[in-house]
Amino acid sequence: MKSGLLLCLCTFAALAAQPVPASLYDQLQWRMIGPFRGGRVAAVAGVPGDPVTFYFGSVGGGVWKTTDAGAVWTPIFDQQRIASIGAIAVAPSDPNILYVGTGEADIRSQIGFGDGVYKSVDAGKTWTNIGLRDSRQIACIRVDPRNPDLVYVAALGHAYGPNPERGVFRSRDGGRTWQKVLDRGPDTGAVDLAFDPANSKAIYATVWNARRPVWSQYAPLEGPGSGLFKTIDGGDRWTRIAGHGLPENQWGRAGIAVGDGGRRVYAVIDAPGSGGLYRSDDSGQTWTRASSDRRLTSRAWYFSGITVDPKDPDLVYVPNVAVYRSTDGGRNFTVLKGAPGGDDYRILWIDPADTNRMVLGSDQGTNISLDKGRTWSTWYNQPTAQMYHAITDNRFPYSVYGSQQDSGTAAVYSRTDHGEIDARDWYSVGGGESGYIAVDPKNQNILYVGNTNGALARFDKRTGQSQNITPWPAPGGGPSRNISTLKYRYPWTAPLVFSTIEPDTLYFGSQYLMKTVDGGLTWREISPDLTGDTRKDKTAAAPGPVTPDNARELGYGVIYTIAPSPLSAGMVWVGSDTGLIHLTRDAGKTWRNVTPAGLPAFSKVTQIEASHFDPPVAYAAVDRHRREDYRPYVYRTRDFGKTWTEVTEGLHEPAYLNSIKEDPKRKGLLYAATELDVAVSFDDGDRWQSLQLNLPAVSVRDLAIHGDDLVAATFGRGFWILDNISPLRQIDPKAVASEAFLYKPATAVRMNPESFFGTPFPPEEPKAKNPPEGAMIDYFLKSADGDITLEILDGKNQVVRRYSSQEHAPAPARPGAIADSWIAPLARLTAKAGMNRFAWDLRYAMPGVEEDGDGGDEFGGAAQGPQVLPGTYRARLTVTGQFFQQRYTQPFKVTLDPRSTATALELQKQLDLCLAISRAMSAAAREGRTLKGPPNAAAQAEIAAVARLLGAALNAAESADRTPPASAYEIFQQASRRLTALLARP
């Protein structure tokens, strides 16, 4: 044991001397699996006069574009580092010019930040950051209708603290330089802008004093100074619009819109007791309260959008829980669009050239209407889901579970039997939109699903029943309640986790660690308050102001992460959002505060990972962005928390930490999910480097390891899987120093699904790929100077398959009957410098086919040899250079699909028949090549008939993991007799 630990530590030290070359693993690929259900959208735009081109900005998934009115959406911002989008504007005078403001301004507790304004001059093909990098949250951008270089930006500013880069900014040179033209101080930002359609120098702006608290609270804290302003000289001078019919008390957030002609102005205003829709018919000089309909100002801090029809000033739309429309100037409203559960709409753009065309952004995604809202395109073609966590079950294929913000839970298959992952392959497991999900270790049909405010349910997949097992399901714990007065305090996403070594034990976090052993029928508090609450009366409201400096002691903290040890029963680590870490080693009887020294209050411990190898070892990810500190923090302890070491080399601001995971198969291999990317450490955290690969810019909220796969829950692009991470587990000093290196392949699963499942989904429907079929053979070449061959050998050291980098794809034998896009290219062995990945299909070669490239069918199906038996195989890689030849060998296993009930005897019978058929097919192919020419027409026809019979026999013999049917033997025998006769002819 000690020698093994010493060897591991020596390996760490050797790797820590320098970063691991990314070329050792850069062919690993993240694979998106969905769900294809849209996520929150706060920015939309269209091109005036263009009926099919529209854009949307996901609050966590970047910028997307459609050129077919929403049939297909394409991401166009993936190469940028920021994915949170708050505003989009197309220059009306030049549709190739786009401006994008990053960082959403709907400042809820789960919010992404931005780094300024981006510009494209080629309709989204390329982008340049043009400044305002410290604005962080941008609410609105307006471009002058005649001058694409004259741009106005409403910047809300930092969500958690004061900063100078907030207010209204103007650029007269397309973003090269910026001038702050409306400054209301470091606490008040701008949230909306509207041009007078008749005079673009007349501009209205709304400003808002709001800030997120450091503790868990739904709505932001608001202060004085919010209001409405107007300029009539393009922004040089601004006048506050107040009184004259507008609310006299303190405002919250407000939205503004100006009707055709410029005299009609609407403002939706949040103000206690006097909020509603206000209307001016004299360009803002006087106002009347057109509507006090509370639907229009529900959660106004979160909505407050308003749009007026560009051609009809009496036609006004207010997005909120539903889209409300008035045709009488704002006096009465009807619902235009809105479903049960609350779709939560936030922005509507109407084409000024044809007001039948509009694009709508909501918490569910983006819809387009071409008939003034009578019908809409779908939001089920936008993989922009904001997933909080990821967990997998133990089925095959496994499913990935998580809760999607605003939309509910989603369970997505990691792979399917029909070749792709599409709309058929994900489903709901309850209504939770923000919580953890825990799969019952003893019954994979039972899931425990968390939701907002500590709601918890036990969901049965067999019946669809969802039992409420919330520890205290009494009313009163809604989002507006003072958290410190509640019996149980919960974050938006309360931790929920099973013990891996005590499968009946489920833990749930409030301010106490709670435990159930009977599926939630009873709960027991097994800890004191672990958040730092020092009050004697734990539900008393604070007598005075609550600040970041005293909120912990006044009961505003929650448990944010729970980590049961996978090695020691009753040992649990607990971290709070107030910056505390506690440890029990006796199932809650005693607790010890093991917080890293000097960790300030409200340093959110986002995740703790208990080691899979040593009980004293744990890792803690800490996020301090709520305290305006965006640096990443990772702590490691090797002595049960007595001391901690900060291990962040290679991680960089502003990518604060959301999750940390230890690889359960290799000690010291760690993965980190940050607000911007994924990182990996090969040396127990001493040095970190990027594992982003092809993953787009996105906040990664959680990671899960399932067998040889790494699963990511992203907050804007759904679930992604890094297939087969076994190469990462094998990178060591030997691999780093090698001229060539063959990684030990992971165990491959032999599958035999039905080849046709009915009419396929058309290309326009969203879908994701399955992982590569067969065994993934990974190898590294320091240079690309030589040739390589790959041989697969069976347990008897016989070559089953051989590939060469010198092989070239054969030309099609005949024109195809279907589009080339449906035909998968044949796997080819590559010999490029760096990592290479090749997928062997777990089949023998088809004799007589691979030599000349013939075979296959008119529908793109390649000729295939029989499937190999489950067992142990070896991959043998030969690298040949000008003056050298090196050979590398690694063993690996092939296992049978765990769903299959076939016996070894049945599979052997199947293989024996299939090999006999394939030999006959080879003989027929060789004979056919000797019979070319008109004199042999009859023999050619007979050979073709025999080949068809053999193909039919092979299809029947290998159609399932089972003893071949008698008909397969009979057809083979008939074809063999006919082939024998042909071969015996003079």
Side-chain angles (χ1 to χ4, degrees):
M1 177 67 181
K2 289 184 178 179
S3 61
L5 177 60
L6 179 62
L7 176 63
C8 199
L9 291 175
C10 291
T11 300
F12 295 162
L15 284 175
Q18 58 185 358
V20 170
S23 57
L24 282 164
Y25 59 87
D26 62 3
Q27 287 306 299
L28 299 178
Q29 292 285 295
W30 290 97
R31 176 173 58 92
M32 187 271 295
I33 64 169
F36 301 101
R37 176 171 63 186
R40 293 176 53 234
V41 169
V44 296
V47 177
D50 185 335
V52 294
T53 302
F54 299 88
Y55 302 87
F56 78 78
S58 164
V59 299
V63 181
W64 295 67
K65 179 179 181 178
T66 179
T67 55
D68 51 21
V72 176
W73 289 95
T74 303
I76 60 172
F77 206 69
D78 284 359
Q79 302 309 309
Q80 312 313 311
R81 190 154 191 238
I82 292 294
S84 179
I85 308 300
I88 296 178
V90 178
S93 59
D94 186 347
N96 287 311
I97 296 180
L98 279 69
Y99 294 92
V100 166
T102 59
E104 62 165 312
D106 301 324
I107 52 172
R108 55 187 300 150
S109 58
Q110 303 292 330
I111 182 173
F113 64 86
D115 68 344
V117 180
Y118 287 75
K119 180 181 181 181
S120 174
V121 296
D122 50 17
K125 294 184 179 69
T126 60
W127 297 91
T128 303
N129 187 297
I130 57 173
L132 303 183
R133 286 183 177 270
D134 196 44
S135 57
R136 283 212 186 133
Q137 321 297 150
I138 292 178
C140 184
I141 297 178
R142 302 294 182 198
V143 184
D144 184 89
R146 288 171 291 279
N147 181 359
D149 289 332
L150 183 54
V151 190
Y152 297 85
V153 171
L156 180 60
H158 291 197
Y160 287 95
N163 77 303
E165 202 162 83
R166 62 172 77 217
V168 177
F169 293 82
R170 179 182 64 194
S171 176
R172 291 187 170 118
D173 53 15
R176 285 191 291 274
T177 60
W178 293 93
Q179 176 188 7
K180 187 192 288 189
V181 293
L182 180 57
D183 184 358
R184 303 303 297 173
D187 293 308
T188 303
V191 287
D192 205 2
L193 293 167
F195 283 131
D196 180 338
N199 176 15
S200 61
K201 288 190 174 183
I203 309 168
Y204 298 82
T206 62
V207 298
W208 186 31
N209 181 340
R211 185 178 302 172
R212 291 292 325 164
V214 298
W215 53 87
S216 290
Q217 178 174 303
Y218 185 56
L221 304 174
E222 296 178 298
S226 303
L228 175 62
F229 289 77
K230 181 180 180 180
T231 178
I232 57 173
D233 55 12
D236 292 335
R237 291 175 297 274
W238 294 82
T239 301
R240 185 176 192 123
I241 300 177
H244 303 286
L246 291 172
E248 300 286 350
N249 55 335
Q250 180 176 307
W251 290 20
R253 186 171 181 172
I256 190 77
V258 186
D260 187 36
R263 295 191 60 81
R264 178 72 58 79
V265 186
Y266 294 98
V268 58
I269 300 170
D270 181 24
S274 56
L277 180 67
Y278 285 77
R279 166 179 160 175
S280 173
D281 292 312
D282 52 13
S283 301
Q285 297 182 55
T286 61
W287 297 80
T288 58
R289 190 185 191 188
S291 176
S292 59
D293 189 334
R294 295 180 63 182
R295 296 177 299 173
L296 309 183
T297 53
S298 170
R299 288 183 295 163
W301 64 269
Y302 189 49
F303 296 103
S304 294
I306 184 169
T307 302
V308 62
D309 187 286
K311 296 182 178 180
D312 182 355
D314 285 329
L315 183 54
V316 60
Y317 302 83
V318 178
N320 201 285
V321 172
V323 180
Y324 304 105
R325 177 170 64 183
S326 172
T327 58
D328 58 5
R331 295 181 181 88
N332 299 284
F333 282 86
T334 58
V335 174
L336 173 66
K337 180 174 171 57
D343 295 338
D344 288 1
Y345 300 91
R346 48 194 65 258
I347 187 167
L348 176 69
W349 179 89
I350 302 175
D351 187 349
D354 181 353
T355 59
N356 287 305
R357 297 195 290 262
M358 50 184 66
V359 56
L360 177 63
S362 76
D363 284 359
Q364 314 303 316
T366 300
N367 308 107
I368 292 168
S369 177
L370 304 178
D371 53 13
K372 224 177 189 69
R374 284 189 291 276
T375 60
W376 297 86
S377 65
T378 183
W379 53 43
Y380 279 93
N381 60 358
Q382 301 153 33
T384 53
Q386 292 181 293
M387 311 305 301
Y388 281 92
H389 302 286
I391 193 168
T392 63
D393 59 22
N394 292 321
R395 298 177 185 271
F396 182 86
Y398 66 91
S399 291
V400 181
Y401 300 87
S403 293
Q404 179 183 346
Q405 176 61 51
D406 293 300
S407 297
T409 59
V412 187
Y413 292 114
S414 58
R415 69 181 302 158
T416 71
D417 291 324
H418 49 266
E420 63 187 22
I421 301 169
D422 53 44
R424 297 168 288 186
D425 303 314
W426 69 273
Y427 55 95
S428 173
V429 292
E433 66 169 299
S434 65
Y436 280 73
I437 295 176
V439 182
D440 192 320
K442 290 185 172 182
N443 186 346
Q444 301 286 287
N445 288 310
I446 302 298
L447 298 101
Y448 295 83
V449 180
N451 202 353
T452 58
N453 307 306
L456 185 59
R458 177 185 181 274
F459 183 83
D460 190 330
K461 290 201 291 186
R462 296 163 299 189
T463 65
Q465 293 183 6
S466 186
Q467 182 185 24
N468 185 345
I469 58 167
T470 306
W472 190 252
S480 61
R481 181 77 180 270
N482 181 340
I483 189 175
S484 71
T485 64
L486 301 177
K487 176 179 175 65
Y488 292 123
R489 306 192 300 267
Y490 300 99
W492 187 253
T493 174
L496 175 72
V497 61
F498 271 102
S499 167
T500 58
I501 54 178
E502 298 176 286
D504 290 320
T505 298
L506 177 64
Y507 296 104
F508 191 42
S510 59
Q511 70 270 43
Y512 311 110
L513 181 62
M514 309 180 76
K515 172 181 174 180
T516 182
V517 294
D518 57 11
L521 296 178
T522 58
W523 289 93
R524 186 164 61 92
E525 300 170 15
I526 65 167
S527 79
D529 186 302
L530 298 179
T531 68
D533 185 352
T534 61
R535 298 172 298 163
K536 292 182 179 179
D537 182 353
K538 296 298 186 182
T539 58
V546 181
T547 70
D549 295 326
N550 66 12
R552 179 163 73 180
E553 290 72 24
L554 293 176
Y556 282 79
V558 294
I559 290 174
Y560 206 82
T561 180
I562 304 167
S565 170
L567 300 173
S568 179
M571 179 174 165
V572 186
W573 303 80
V574 173
S576 75
D577 77 335
T578 57
L580 299 176
I581 298 177
H582 288 83
L583 173 65
T584 180
R585 298 173 64 183
D586 54 14
K589 294 183 180 67
T590 59
W591 289 87
R592 187 160 58 92
N593 185 335
V594 295
T595 304
L599 190 63
F602 282 100
S603 301
K604 183 181 0 178
V605 185
T606 53
Q607 199 164 83
I608 299 174
E609 177 82 341
S611 175
H612 297 77
F613 302 95
D614 298 312
V617 176
Y619 309 88
V622 175
D623 162 24
R624 285 182 41 78
H625 86 277
R626 298 183 303 171
R627 300 305 302 266
E628 287 285 84
D629 179 356
Y630 282 68
R631 290 174 293 178
Y633 292 93
V634 182
Y635 294 88
R636 179 187 65 211
T637 181
R638 292 173 174 162
D639 55 11
F640 295 105
K642 294 177 183 177
T643 60
W644 295 83
T645 302
E646 188 177 336
V647 285
T648 57
E649 183 179 348
L651 300 173
H652 303 288
E653 185 178 3
Y656 56 82
L657 265 290
N658 293 318
S659 172
I660 186 166
K661 287 292 191 296
E662 178 192 54
D663 193 291
K665 294 186 178 180
R666 171 176 163 175
K667 183 178 172 63
L669 181 59
L670 306 179
Y671 310 99
T674 84
E675 189 61 13
L676 298 178
D677 51 23
V678 180
V680 61
S681 173
F682 296 94
D683 52 14
D684 208 32
D686 288 337
R687 181 187 296 272
W688 293 89
Q689 56 195 80
S690 176
L691 194 60
Q692 192 72 358
L693 303 167
N694 63 312
L695 187 68
V698 69
S699 167
V700 184
R701 293 300 175 93
D702 197 11
L703 298 170
I705 300 167
H706 183 98
D708 296 314
D709 295 344
L710 179 64
V711 182
T714 75
F715 209 60
R717 298 295 287 269
F719 292 127
W720 293 66
I721 297 176
L722 190 60
D723 293 305
N724 189 6
I725 58 174
S726 57
L728 298 178
R729 294 167 170 161
Q730 300 173 57
I731 292 175
D732 58 16
K734 178 182 177 182
V736 171
S738 297
E739 292 294 320
F741 188 83
L742 176 63
Y743 296 96
K744 186 178 185 298
T747 296
V749 180
R750 181 189 125 150
M751 300 176 65
N752 192 13
E754 165 65 51
S755 61
F756 183 66
F757 280 83
T759 302
F761 275 46
E764 295 77 17
E765 292 293 319
K767 56 181 71 71
K769 295 180 179 179
N770 268 350
E773 298 286 345
M776 297 186 201
I777 313 294
D778 298 313
Y779 50 96
F780 168 78
L781 304 174
K782 186 160 286 187
S783 66
D785 297 335
D787 301 326
I788 64 170
T789 59
L790 175 66
E791 296 167 298
I792 307 298
L793 294 87
D794 63 17
K796 298 178 181 179
N797 210 34
Q798 300 296 308
V799 174
V800 172
R801 200 73 176 267
R802 184 184 185 280
Y803 301 91
S804 168
S805 60
Q806 295 298 302
E807 295 172 353
H808 300 288
R814 65 182 76 86
I818 60 172
D820 290 345
S821 59
W822 290 98
I823 302 173
L826 295 175
R828 294 292 158 189
L829 197 67
T830 57
K832 61 181 182 295
M835 180 188 172
N836 295 257
R837 169 164 281 186
F838 178 81
W840 171 46
D841 61 5
L842 307 184
R843 291 181 177 275
Y844 289 83
M846 175 64 80
V849 172
E850 291 192 347
E851 289 86 341
D852 62 8
D854 199 4
D857 59 38
E858 62 181 339
F859 297 110
Q864 294 181 316
Q867 285 189 303
V868 299
L869 293 174
T872 299
Y873 294 81
R874 288 188 300 138
R876 185 165 68 194
L877 182 75
T878 303
V879 181
T880 304
Q882 186 174 1
F883 303 108
F884 70 92
Q885 185 179 79
Q886 292 289 334
R887 181 168 286 178
Y888 308 87
T889 304
Q890 290 282 10
F892 66 99
K893 292 182 179 180
V894 174
T895 63
L896 185 62
D897 185 335
R899 299 168 296 178
S900 176
T901 60
T903 66
L905 180 60
E906 288 176 313
L907 295 177
Q908 186 64 59
K909 288 182 178 179
Q910 183 185 56
L911 178 62
D912 291 344
L913 176 59
C914 291
L915 286 175
I917 295 172
S918 68
R919 288 192 292 269
M921 293 178 76
S922 176
R926 287 194 301 271
E927 183 66 13
R929 286 191 288 271
T930 67
L931 296 174
K932 293 182 178 179
N936 299 310
Q940 290 177 30
E942 177 65 2
I943 281 288
V946 168
R948 286 194 294 272
L949 280 175
L950 291 170
L954 184 62
N955 178 273
E958 207 176 47
S959 57
D961 295 339
R962 197 168 178 229
T963 299
S967 58
Y969 288 97
E970 293 168 2
I971 293 175
F972 169 58
Q973 291 165 2
Q974 181 187 124
S976 296
R977 289 193 294 270
R978 293 171 66 174
L979 178 61
T980 300
L982 271 170
L983 297 177
R985 75 190 192 288

mmCIF file of all heavy atoms in Angstrom, residues 336-357:
data_model
loop_
_atom_site.group_PDB
_atom_site.id
_atom_site.type_symbol
_atom_site.label_atom_id
_atom_site.label_comp_id
_atom_site.label_asym_id
_atom_site.label_seq_id
_atom_site.Cartn_x
_atom_site.Cartn_y
_atom_site.Cartn_z
ATOM 1 N N LEU A 336 -52.030 36.616 -25.663
ATOM 2 C CA LEU A 336 -51.686 36.202 -27.018
ATOM 3 C C LEU A 336 -51.060 34.813 -27.005
ATOM 4 O O LEU A 336 -51.356 33.978 -27.862
ATOM 5 C CB LEU A 336 -50.710 37.199 -27.641
ATOM 6 C CG LEU A 336 -50.134 36.810 -29.007
ATOM 7 C CD1 LEU A 336 -51.228 36.782 -30.058
ATOM 8 C CD2 LEU A 336 -49.018 37.755 -29.416
ATOM 9 N N LYS A 337 -50.200 34.570 -26.023
ATOM 10 C CA LYS A 337 -49.488 33.286 -25.963
ATOM 11 C C LYS A 337 -49.092 33.034 -24.519
ATOM 12 O O LYS A 337 -48.585 33.924 -23.838
ATOM 13 C CB LYS A 337 -48.248 33.333 -26.863
ATOM 14 C CG LYS A 337 -47.420 32.048 -26.887
ATOM 15 C CD LYS A 337 -46.314 32.163 -27.932
ATOM 16 C CE LYS A 337 -45.314 31.027 -27.863
ATOM 17 N NZ LYS A 337 -45.919 29.701 -28.014
ATOM 18 N N GLY A 338 -49.305 31.805 -24.052
ATOM 19 C CA GLY A 338 -48.937 31.465 -22.687
ATOM 20 C C GLY A 338 -49.555 30.137 -22.289
ATOM 21 O O GLY A 338 -50.740 29.904 -22.533
ATOM 22 N N ALA A 339 -48.755 29.268 -21.687
ATOM 23 C CA ALA A 339 -49.190 27.912 -21.353
ATOM 24 C C ALA A 339 -49.181 27.721 -19.845
ATOM 25 O O ALA A 339 -48.566 28.487 -19.105
ATOM 26 C CB ALA A 339 -48.270 26.892 -22.021
ATOM 27 N N PRO A 340 -49.852 26.682 -19.355
ATOM 28 C CA PRO A 340 -49.803 26.383 -17.919
ATOM 29 C C PRO A 340 -48.367 26.175 -17.460
ATOM 30 O O PRO A 340 -47.542 25.621 -18.183
ATOM 31 C CB PRO A 340 -50.616 25.088 -17.804
ATOM 32 C CG PRO A 340 -51.496 25.079 -18.991
ATOM 33 C CD PRO A 340 -50.721 25.741 -20.086
ATOM 34 N N GLY A 341 -48.086 26.606 -16.242
ATOM 35 C CA GLY A 341 -46.738 26.486 -15.708
ATOM 36 C C GLY A 341 -45.932 27.748 -15.869
ATOM 37 O O GLY A 341 -44.933 27.944 -15.187
ATOM 38 N N GLY A 342 -46.347 28.633 -16.760
ATOM 39 C CA GLY A 342 -45.655 29.901 -16.921
ATOM 40 C C GLY A 342 -44.486 29.813 -17.869
ATOM 41 O O GLY A 342 -43.402 29.355 -17.508
ATOM 42 N N ASP A 343 -44.693 30.229 -19.129
ATOM 43 C CA ASP A 343 -43.602 30.207 -20.097
ATOM 44 C C ASP A 343 -42.589 31.310 -19.838
ATOM 45 O O ASP A 343 -41.436 31.208 -20.239
ATOM 46 C CB ASP A 343 -44.143 30.357 -21.520
ATOM 47 C CG ASP A 343 -45.003 29.173 -21.943
ATOM 48 O OD1 ASP A 343 -44.848 28.097 -21.335
ATOM 49 O OD2 ASP A 343 -45.827 29.333 -22.847
ATOM 50 N N ASP A 344 -43.044 32.400 -19.203
ATOM 51 C CA ASP A 344 -42.171 33.518 -18.831
ATOM 52 C C ASP A 344 -41.493 34.142 -20.054
ATOM 53 O O ASP A 344 -40.326 33.883 -20.370
ATOM 54 C CB ASP A 344 -41.126 33.080 -17.815
ATOM 55 C CG ASP A 344 -41.720 32.830 -16.445
ATOM 56 O OD1 ASP A 344 -42.932 32.978 -16.288
ATOM 57 O OD2 ASP A 344 -40.954 32.486 -15.523
ATOM 58 N N TYR A 345 -42.243 35.016 -20.711
ATOM 59 C CA TYR A 345 -41.754 35.711 -21.894
ATOM 60 C C TYR A 345 -41.087 37.017 -21.480
ATOM 61 O O TYR A 345 -41.489 37.658 -20.520
ATOM 62 C CB TYR A 345 -42.909 35.983 -22.860
ATOM 63 C CG TYR A 345 -43.572 34.719 -23.327
ATOM 64 C CD1 TYR A 345 -44.663 34.184 -22.652
ATOM 65 C CD2 TYR A 345 -43.087 34.024 -24.433
ATOM 66 C CE1 TYR A 345 -45.253 33.003 -23.068
ATOM 67 C CE2 TYR A 345 -43.674 32.842 -24.850
ATOM 68 C CZ TYR A 345 -44.755 32.337 -24.164
ATOM 69 O OH TYR A 345 -45.334 31.167 -24.580
ATOM 70 N N ARG A 346 -40.070 37.420 -22.259
ATOM 71 C CA ARG A 346 -39.348 38.611 -21.824
ATOM 72 C C ARG A 346 -39.014 39.619 -22.912
ATOM 73 O O ARG A 346 -38.738 40.765 -22.603
ATOM 74 C CB ARG A 346 -38.073 38.226 -21.082
ATOM 75 C CG ARG A 346 -37.211 37.196 -21.731
ATOM 76 C CD ARG A 346 -36.182 36.663 -20.738
ATOM 77 N NE ARG A 346 -36.832 35.952 -19.651
ATOM 78 C CZ ARG A 346 -37.030 36.473 -18.441
ATOM 79 N NH1 ARG A 346 -36.649 37.702 -18.179
ATOM 80 N NH2 ARG A 346 -37.616 35.768 -17.509
ATOM 81 N N ILE A 347 -39.050 39.240 -24.169
ATOM 82 C CA ILE A 347 -38.708 40.225 -25.191
ATOM 83 C C ILE A 347 -39.367 39.854 -26.515
ATOM 84 O O ILE A 347 -39.430 38.680 -26.879
ATOM 85 C CB ILE A 347 -37.174 40.350 -25.361
ATOM 86 C CG1 ILE A 347 -36.813 41.494 -26.303
ATOM 87 C CG2 ILE A 347 -36.563 39.026 -25.814
ATOM 88 C CD1 ILE A 347 -35.344 41.860 -26.274
ATOM 89 N N LEU A 348 -39.855 40.860 -27.224
ATOM 90 C CA LEU A 348 -40.528 40.674 -28.513
ATOM 91 C C LEU A 348 -40.004 41.711 -29.496
ATOM 92 O O LEU A 348 -39.968 42.910 -29.192
ATOM 93 C CB LEU A 348 -42.040 40.835 -28.339
ATOM 94 C CG LEU A 348 -42.891 40.777 -29.614
ATOM 95 C CD1 LEU A 348 -42.888 39.365 -30.202
ATOM 96 C CD2 LEU A 348 -44.330 41.222 -29.316
ATOM 97 N N TRP A 349 -39.575 41.238 -30.663
ATOM 98 C CA TRP A 349 -39.163 42.120 -31.753
ATOM 99 C C TRP A 349 -40.149 41.964 -32.893
ATOM 100 O O TRP A 349 -40.521 40.844 -33.261
ATOM 101 C CB TRP A 349 -37.763 41.768 -32.240
ATOM 102 C CG TRP A 349 -37.264 42.620 -33.381
ATOM 103 C CD1 TRP A 349 -36.592 43.801 -33.302
ATOM 104 C CD2 TRP A 349 -37.393 42.344 -34.796
ATOM 105 N NE1 TRP A 349 -36.293 44.285 -34.554
ATOM 106 C CE2 TRP A 349 -36.776 43.411 -35.492
ATOM 107 C CE3 TRP A 349 -37.974 41.307 -35.521
ATOM 108 C CZ2 TRP A 349 -36.717 43.451 -36.884
ATOM 109 C CZ3 TRP A 349 -37.921 41.349 -36.908
ATOM 110 C CH2 TRP A 349 -37.298 42.413 -37.581
ATOM 111 N N ILE A 350 -40.584 43.099 -33.455
ATOM 112 C CA ILE A 350 -41.535 43.105 -34.573
ATOM 113 C C ILE A 350 -40.869 43.775 -35.762
ATOM 114 O O ILE A 350 -40.260 44.851 -35.639
ATOM 115 C CB ILE A 350 -42.831 43.854 -34.201
ATOM 116 C CG1 ILE A 350 -43.484 43.200 -32.974
ATOM 117 C CG2 ILE A 350 -43.800 43.863 -35.372
ATOM 118 C CD1 ILE A 350 -44.696 43.952 -32.462
ATOM 119 N N ASP A 351 -40.983 43.153 -36.915
ATOM 120 C CA ASP A 351 -40.384 43.690 -38.137
ATOM 121 C C ASP A 351 -41.111 44.968 -38.548
ATOM 122 O O ASP A 351 -42.317 44.933 -38.839
ATOM 123 C CB ASP A 351 -40.488 42.639 -39.246
ATOM 124 C CG ASP A 351 -39.731 43.038 -40.513
ATOM 125 O OD1 ASP A 351 -39.309 44.210 -40.618
ATOM 126 O OD2 ASP A 351 -39.567 42.162 -41.387
ATOM 127 N N PRO A 352 -40.422 46.095 -38.604
ATOM 128 C CA PRO A 352 -41.096 47.343 -39.000
ATOM 129 C C PRO A 352 -41.547 47.336 -40.458
ATOM 130 O O PRO A 352 -42.437 48.113 -40.830
ATOM 131 C CB PRO A 352 -40.029 48.418 -38.752
ATOM 132 C CG PRO A 352 -38.727 47.683 -38.807
ATOM 133 C CD PRO A 352 -39.004 46.316 -38.264
ATOM 134 N N ALA A 353 -40.953 46.453 -41.263
ATOM 135 C CA ALA A 353 -41.351 46.396 -42.670
ATOM 136 C C ALA A 353 -42.607 45.557 -42.878
ATOM 137 O O ALA A 353 -43.330 45.748 -43.859
ATOM 138 C CB ALA A 353 -40.199 45.839 -43.513
ATOM 139 N N ASP A 354 -42.862 44.619 -42.000
ATOM 140 C CA ASP A 354 -44.042 43.764 -42.080
ATOM 141 C C ASP A 354 -44.349 43.297 -40.668
ATOM 142 O O ASP A 354 -43.720 42.368 -40.162
ATOM 143 C CB ASP A 354 -43.789 42.573 -43.010
ATOM 144 C CG ASP A 354 -45.016 41.661 -43.140
ATOM 145 O OD1 ASP A 354 -46.011 41.874 -42.406
ATOM 146 O OD2 ASP A 354 -44.972 40.712 -43.958
ATOM 147 N N THR A 355 -45.315 43.924 -40.044
ATOM 148 C CA THR A 355 -45.568 43.666 -38.620
ATOM 149 C C THR A 355 -46.249 42.325 -38.362
ATOM 150 O O THR A 355 -46.538 41.993 -37.206
ATOM 151 C CB THR A 355 -46.399 44.810 -38.014
ATOM 152 O OG1 THR A 355 -47.640 44.912 -38.729
ATOM 153 C CG2 THR A 355 -45.651 46.123 -38.098
ATOM 154 N N ASN A 356 -46.468 41.543 -39.400
ATOM 155 C CA ASN A 356 -46.895 40.164 -39.189
ATOM 156 C C ASN A 356 -45.748 39.303 -38.677
ATOM 157 O O ASN A 356 -45.966 38.256 -38.074
ATOM 158 C CB ASN A 356 -47.424 39.554 -40.491
ATOM 159 C CG ASN A 356 -48.775 40.109 -40.876
ATOM 160 O OD1 ASN A 356 -49.707 40.065 -40.095
ATOM 161 N ND2 ASN A 356 -48.865 40.649 -42.088
ATOM 162 N N ARG A 357 -44.517 39.752 -38.958
ATOM 163 C CA ARG A 357 -43.337 38.966 -38.596
ATOM 164 C C ARG A 357 -42.811 39.422 -37.244
ATOM 165 O O ARG A 357 -42.553 40.615 -37.031
ATOM 166 C CB ARG A 357 -42.254 39.095 -39.660
ATOM 167 C CG ARG A 357 -42.669 38.543 -41.016
ATOM 168 C CD ARG A 357 -41.468 38.359 -41.908
ATOM 169 N NE ARG A 357 -40.880 39.604 -42.343
ATOM 170 C CZ ARG A 357 -41.114 40.182 -43.520
ATOM 171 N NH1 ARG A 357 -41.950 39.609 -44.363
ATOM 172 N NH2 ARG A 357 -40.518 41.309 -43.844
#
